[in-house]
Amino acid sequence: MNSQKPKKIKVERVQPEDTVDSVEESVDQTEETPVAVETKRYASVNVFESLVNDIPVMKRQRDGYVNASNVLKAAKLPKKKRKKILDKLMTLKHEKVSVGFYLFQGIYVPLEDAKRLAKTWKLDKQLENLFNA
């Protein structure tokens, strides 16, 4: 009979933070030049779109909301980290789009929130033209 003691597992409780900034870390983005903006239409919704790190980042023309999901993908964050940040964003003003073209789907946030998110992940220079469109 094996008489080894069971291993103790350390359990750490994590309290939710008050802001999205608390779960964000700085990442290195080598390209800092603004990227081109195109006008596109997805399922009768007109958007401005910029391609950053091969990810289309969209800003709706009607209200200026930006697809935060794609901003985080463009920052090359792992899926688990993106989900954690998006969960935080969903406690703020947002709109979840889960129908239509798959690249258009995601969590859309007001322009000012998107700007803060892009700045945190060092994409603000690349997305400057999109934000100003």
Side-chain angles (χ1 to χ4, degrees), residues 7-68:
K7 292 182 181 180
K8 291 185 178 181
I9 300 173
K10 182 179 179 183
V11 177
E12 187 177 335
R13 294 192 185 264
V14 178
Q15 295 297 322
E17 302 297 326
D18 293 333
T19 66
V20 174
D21 295 335
S22 61
V23 295
E24 298 170 352
E25 303 165 353
S26 176
V27 294
D28 290 329
Q29 293 291 327
T30 56
E31 187 66 39
E32 290 195 6
T33 57
V35 294
V37 177
E38 295 181 39
T39 301
K40 296 204 174 176
R41 186 177 182 92
Y42 293 99
S44 75
V45 178
N46 293 324
V47 298
F48 295 112
E49 180 179 289
S50 290
L51 200 61
V52 178
N53 296 328
D54 296 323
I55 302 294
V57 179
M58 295 165 214
K59 174 182 158 187
R60 291 192 306 220
Q61 290 182 12
R62 72 168 187 247
D63 58 9
Y65 273 43
V66 177
N67 188 330

